[in-house]
Amino acid sequence: MAATPVYLDYNATALPRPAAIAAVTKALGLCGNPSSVHGFGRAARRCLEDAREAIAALVGATPAAVVFTSGGTEANRLALQGLGRRRILASAVEHPSVLQGGTVETIPVDGEGVVDLAALERLLAAGGEPALVSVMLANNETGVIQPLSAVAELARRHGALVHGDAVQALGKIEVDIGRLGVDLLSLSAHKLGGPQGVGALVLADADRELRPLLVGGGQERGRRSGTENLPGIAGFAAAAVEAVAELPEIGRIGALRDRLERAIRNTVPGLTVFGAGADRLPNTSCLAVPGLTAQSVLMALDLAGIAVSSGSACSSGKVAPSHVLTAMGREVLAGSAIRVSLGWASRGQDVDRFVEAFGQLANRIRSAPAVSAA
Ligand code: PLP
């Protein structure tokens, strides 16, 4: 009998939570448009506003400050384009949806992938016009956690606004907009067990002016037109509430991740774990063994029924070297980087299956006689 598949790619998309599936199904059964005034519409509106209140409460914001979007990418674009700031400073390890939208001045990171605060200070001091600083709370590839409140404090001293991409952080570490001191936060449902294609941009100041990317019907207080994705939003809220409620037990996931890294270190010589010297999300391990190419490892693991990603997280399937590992000065090993990311349904046996398969693969490839390229 074929072994049960092992899913260790939660940072790409988490396994959907049963509570989210139930909430999506229930909301799909509501036929009204949340903007309609009749009873059907009011029921849909209640479902929408309950979800808004739940998401707001999870990150310490007010419900009016939550703008539902089609996901983390749109939330990031709305933050960067909606404030009207022309000067944007972003860390070199941000998600492509931050780095690729226009001219961005990059803030370097150190060898662990942590943003260089002194370099940020120099950039802030050099510029004439007020900037927007965009730094993620946790990195999708390495799990490295950024000193976002220190970034916000520094930025504020220079009159800059701050956006934090918390897409990978919510449900894995505490995310509180007030404590972080940022002006905007991006969230995404499918990273914590909700549906794909839904997320939110959360504002610290519910009345901050935000130029919409999408205009039309004026939904979301005019900040994001288009009938809201009610089933998606209901599923997002259900998943996020459960993920945050489970935070006190996140140590279980951290212990599994540590066990995985320890076991690989003990069986495979030459292991590198990227960002291991920094604070990391408890669920993420980005690792490499020299001589193993990520693509061949991914394919071999896939054949064994084990799903992980190559180093470049949201762009799994692309062979381009990871800009995150390159920014960390690790481009030489970047082609070997495998990202293992655990989540709410991960168990010890998943870790054991990965360790066994990866160990066998690494030792087989390393002991194979070298073939010279003709
Ligand atoms: N930001 C980070 C840190 C991510 O990992 C992702 C993942 O894709 C995104 C933004 C984009 O989110 P979404 O897939 O919801 O557009």
Side-chain angles (χ1 to χ4, degrees), residues 11 71-73 76 95 97 136 138 140 165 167-168 188 190-191 314:
N11 286 14
T73 297
N76 282 349
H95 188 263
S97 57
M136 64 201 339
N140 40 312
D165 177 343
V167 162
Q168 292 289 348
S188 177
H190 73 111
K191 306 297 185 178
C314 293

Side-chain angles (χ1 to χ4, degrees), residues 292-301 308-311 333-338:
L292 288 190
T293 63
Q295 291 310 310
S296 58
V297 172
L298 286 196
M299 282 189 289
L301 290 175
V308 297
S309 274
S310 61
L333 263 184
S336 300
I338 299 293

Side-chain angles (χ1 to χ4, degrees), residues 27-36 38-45 227 230:
L28 207 50
L30 294 173
C31 84
N33 184 316
S35 298
S36 299
H38 48 61
F40 295 94
R42 288 199 306 278
R45 166 68 53 187
T227 301
L230 195 61

